[in-house]
Amino acid sequence: MRGIVFLVLSLLIGCDANTKLDQSPIGYIGFNGNKSWAIQFNDCTEHELRGAEKYLWFDRTLISISCYQFKSDDNAYLKNQEIQIYESPALDSPRKSINQFSELKISASGWGTFPNVYKTANGDWFRVKDGWIHLEPKDKEYVQFYKGAQSMTKKTAHDDYFYNH
């Protein structure tokens, strides 16, 4: 009997450990084409909503990107486009909406880190800190999954430009 209780407890603890995010990230969701994360404050790289959408994919609370200021009708569009977070990798699972990934960190210079991915499922499902996200074809115009850690090789040049320009 003791052996059965031990086995059941071991299985329960093992299952519980799998649901926690104690594990290391296996990759991240980043810009399509492996572009660096940087909101360009000092130059005018984005002038319209279409170009700005790649930044908005990660943070729906932004009011401007570079020289482009969102108009009120853009904001109405964006409010209907919150990020959907699912409890499990299935479209019919319970979900919630968020405006920004909790692991998204942006420095004063505009450099940031992308949301980490802890698990993948079925090719289009990715477990981030907030829950499961599903990448649809429209999402893949802007972002994709990358294995490994985000490259920080351009951060020094980016910060130097920001602080000394």
Side-chain angles (χ1 to χ4, degrees):
M1 183 66 175
R2 239 184 236 174
I4 292 173
V5 171
F6 177 76
L7 179 61
V8 169
L9 286 174
S10 297
L11 287 172
L12 287 174
I13 291 169
C15 290
D16 185 46
N18 289 335
T19 60
K20 292 182 181 176
L21 293 179
D22 297 346
Q23 68 209 48
S24 298
I26 60 171
Y28 62 95
I29 297 289
F31 288 137
N32 194 9
N34 211 10
K35 294 189 171 60
S36 300
W37 169 263
I39 295 177
Q40 312 263 336
F41 288 107
N42 293 348
D43 58 1
C44 295
T45 57
E46 304 298 348
H47 301 276
E48 56 189 29
L49 180 62
R50 181 76 177 153
E53 281 180 338
K54 60 186 176 182
Y55 299 102
L56 287 170
W57 197 93
F58 293 101
D59 185 351
R60 307 294 164 82
T61 64
L62 297 171
I63 58 169
S64 68
I65 292 177
S66 187
C67 291
Y68 182 72
Q69 178 79 30
F70 300 115
K71 303 183 295 275
S72 59
D73 57 339
D74 293 336
N75 288 335
Y77 164 77
L78 295 170
K79 286 179 183 172
N80 295 329
Q81 299 294 318
E82 293 176 313
I83 303 163
Q84 298 300 306
I85 301 292
Y86 297 82
E87 283 186 16
S88 63
L91 291 173
D92 59 354
S93 72
R95 66 182 178 187
K96 64 182 178 182
S97 298
I98 62 172
N99 288 316
Q100 183 185 50
F101 291 96
S102 60
E103 287 189 328
L104 178 66
K105 305 287 183 240
I106 306 171
S107 70
S109 72
W111 185 273
T113 54
F114 293 108
N116 287 319
V117 172
Y118 296 90
K119 292 181 186 178
T120 62
N122 305 327
D124 293 331
W125 287 95
F126 302 91
R127 179 69 168 99
V128 296
K129 185 176 181 182
D130 307 284
W132 287 92
I133 59 171
H134 182 253
L135 293 187
E136 305 207 8
K138 184 177 190 311
D139 298 319
K140 292 179 182 179
E141 292 177 27
Y142 303 108
V143 299
Q144 68 185 73
F145 169 67
Y146 293 96
K147 291 184 179 179
Q150 181 183 352
S151 172
M152 294 291 155
T153 57
K154 296 181 182 176
K155 184 181 185 314
T156 303
H158 170 81
D159 286 350
D160 184 56
Y161 177 82
F162 177 79
Y163 291 112
N164 300 308
H165 196 70

